[in-house]
Amino acid sequence: MGGTMTVEGGRPLYGTVEVPAAKNSVLPLLAASVLCSGPVRLEQVPRLSDVEDCLAILRAVGCTAVWEGEDIQVSGPPVWCRMPLEETERMRASVLFAAPLLARLGRVETALPGGCRIGARPVDWHLSALEQMGAKVSQAGQRLVITAPAGLRGAELCLPGPSVGATETVLMAGCAARGLTILHGAAKEPEIVDLADFLNRCGGKIDGAGTDEIRIEGPCVLHGISYRPMPDRICASTLACAAASARGWVTIAGCSPSLYSPVLDILEGAGCTVMRGTSSATVGRMGALRGAGHLVTGGYPGLATDAAPLVAAALLSAEGKTWIQDRVFEARFGCAEGFRAMGAAAAVRGRTLELEGGCPLHGADVTARDLRGGAALVVAALGAAGRTRIEGCEYIARGYASLGEMLSALGARIV
Ligand code: UD1
């Protein structure tokens, strides 16, 4: 879906849509597969550009990583420690390959990762955790060189903040390290639990994933398995917000509503009808919506930072104000400019997006500046009268394999 997308807004959405596997699970699982001595098969993976970048990293270090239908098969030990600069710099999640490659090869040469421009997003907590487990980190030009010739050792660690990625780095490093690793201040996101479940099924000994204290007994001999990653709760949130923006009646299947209940609760409070099943939710909107007042993002089970622009997009024309403060990233609301071009009263003050509400939306030419902000422009465009042209859709392709097709199947007119 690179390039441009055109949305004819004002058409309600009806039908059922299946939620694909979570990007934020698949990426760490692909990194973790480097730790396994036998082949790993990930089932039903969406073809996202971030996934293709991970496969390119795996191949560049000597692993075999291939699509087999909708599944991905990864095999072979890594042989080269140098990660490819282009993919590594393009995607922040490339930092997740550092710990497993270091564990297998004793050395990894990576780069400072980039990714969406939604804030500073340093990787210092990943590096400091690895250092506390016996690694040495140095910088050579554009490259970060991490070595642990004598292997990693278990340690008692405390993260300065609940970082999802740094928690995943410690999970992977801890499986390879000699002795017990105890991580205090871990992030509690469901994707971390999914990674721990995967590693445990491969032979790992991880306890406490999903709480803020995780214990890992290493070293573990990990074998390969076939694994189905958890559903994408941010994609489910996107579809729920799309129904709220466009109006209509949409069933979001294959994802437990408990995984994104803050989003469903906000939409329900704003005037949508929400019906929750065990593994599906139905979101209906007929009449006008109300502003949601003051909202803040936070770690799980709070409102996910990735869902914040999507919720905003659904509430742009609601009656009454909404404020959304993002506590995780400092530049989350780059989509506000596009919202304004569509007629919304949307202002960013510090980390808070302020929506006046009450403004009918119209089509406009807008530009996606990051993944979730780009998807939020699509969500807003569904509820806007007339045609919206969205440039920069390569950002959207990083996290949605077929957003246009999914929405078209529900009745949206998207090219
Ligand atoms: C993951 C998700 C991303 C989501 C984010 C927060 C993946 C692939 N991506 O990103 O979609 O938006 O969680 O839920 O799972 N921090 C540091 N130093 C570090 C690491 C983090 O200062 O070494 C800070 C970051 O700048 C940020 C906060 O910690 O302010 C949280 O970031 P983190 O949870 O690490 O995000 P990611 O794992 O990169």
Side-chain angles (χ1 to χ4, degrees):
M1 193 209 301
T4 308
M5 197 161 152
T6 305
V7 180
E8 296 282 353
R11 294 166 61 90
L13 305 181
Y14 292 100
T16 299
V17 57
E18 196 72 31
V19 176
K23 166 182 91 87
N24 287 354
S25 232
V26 170
L27 271 39
L29 291 173
L30 286 171
S33 64
V34 169
L35 292 169
C36 299
S37 54
V40 168
R41 188 180 194 89
L42 298 184
E43 296 164 16
Q44 300 197 26
V45 175
R47 286 185 187 251
L48 310 169
S49 60
D50 272 10
V51 170
E52 297 290 358
D53 281 347
C54 286
L55 299 187
I57 291 173
L58 287 167
R59 290 175 193 134
V61 298
C63 296
T64 305
V66 289
W67 287 99
E68 289 181 358
E70 289 181 34
D71 299 352
I72 289 175
Q73 174 110 353
V74 181
S75 54
V79 269
W80 300 295
C81 64
R82 185 170 269 213
M83 288 172 54
L85 275 182
E86 191 185 329
E87 289 82 4
T88 302
E89 285 176 342
R90 184 157 54 217
M91 176 182 57
R92 177 173 169 78
S94 61
V95 68
L96 297 172
F97 286 83
L101 286 170
L102 179 66
R104 290 299 297 262
L105 299 167
R107 176 186 180 97
V108 58
E109 294 183 22
T110 177
L112 285 169
C116 283
R117 283 167 270 151
I118 57 176
R121 306 184 84 180
V123 295
D124 50 336
W125 301 346
H126 296 250
L127 300 180
S128 136
L130 292 174
E131 281 176 331
Q132 290 172 69
M133 298 175 82
K136 299 249 176 306
V137 180
S138 59
Q139 198 163 348
Q142 269 179 299
R143 290 203 173 263
L144 273 179
V145 180
I146 313 175
T147 55
L152 294 168
R153 55 167 189 271
E156 185 157 4
L157 309 168
C158 186
L159 286 181
S163 157
V164 176
T167 301
E168 292 166 343
T169 284
V170 173
L171 284 189
M172 292 185 277
C175 283
R178 288 185 313 278
L180 181 67
T181 295
I182 304 175
L183 177 64
H184 302 280
K188 297 181 276 197
E189 268 61 10
E191 292 77 10
I192 292 166
V193 179
D194 208 32
L195 174 62
D197 286 348
F198 168 84
L199 289 167
N200 283 341
R201 282 192 42 203
C202 293
K205 295 192 195 108
I206 300 168
D207 200 28
T211 75
D212 58 11
E213 189 180 306
I214 301 179
R215 301 166 80 88
I216 310 148
E217 265 181 64
C220 322
V221 177
L222 300 180
H223 51 82
I225 56 165
S226 192
Y227 192 78
R228 177 145 187 202
M230 64 174 286
D232 194 324
R233 62 197 169 97
I234 306 301
C235 184
S237 305
T238 307
L239 295 162
C241 292
S245 170
R247 297 166 187 259
W249 200 253
V250 173
T251 296
I252 301 147
C255 182
S256 165
S258 63
L259 288 171
Y260 60 114
S261 52
V263 171
L264 294 174
D265 293 347
I266 292 164
L267 296 179
E268 193 168 34
C272 292
T273 302
V274 177
M275 294 186 308
R276 296 164 179 80
T278 20
S279 64
S280 72
T282 299
V283 176
R285 176 195 163 191
M286 295 302 159
L289 296 180
R290 299 178 286 278
H294 291 272
L295 305 174
V296 285
T297 68
Y300 191 81
L303 172 62
T305 167
D306 287 353
L310 304 160
V311 166
L315 296 173
L316 291 177
S317 57
E319 289 299 330
K321 285 192 173 187
T322 302
W323 293 262
I324 311 183
Q325 186 194 0
D326 193 298
R327 292 197 174 151
V328 184
F329 295 113
E330 53 272 23
R332 175 48 91 179
F333 298 110
C335 50
E337 183 190 340
F339 290 164
R340 283 194 293 274
M342 287 186 229
V348 179
R349 288 188 220 297
R351 288 178 176 228
T352 301
L353 176 70
E354 289 184 20
L355 305 176
E356 283 295 325
C359 310
L361 301 182
H362 53 76
D365 288 352
V366 297
T367 306
R369 311 230 174 256
D370 63 84
L371 162 56
R372 303 303 169 183
L377 295 176
V378 177
V379 168
L382 294 169
R387 174 175 300 184
T388 297
R389 269 181 50 127
I390 302 157
E391 303 264 6
C393 290
E394 57 280 0
Y395 279 112
I396 302 176
R398 297 184 52 179
Y400 300 86
S402 53
L403 186 59
E405 287 89 331
M406 272 194 283
L407 294 169
S408 299
L410 296 170
R413 197 166 285 164
I414 295 183
V415 184

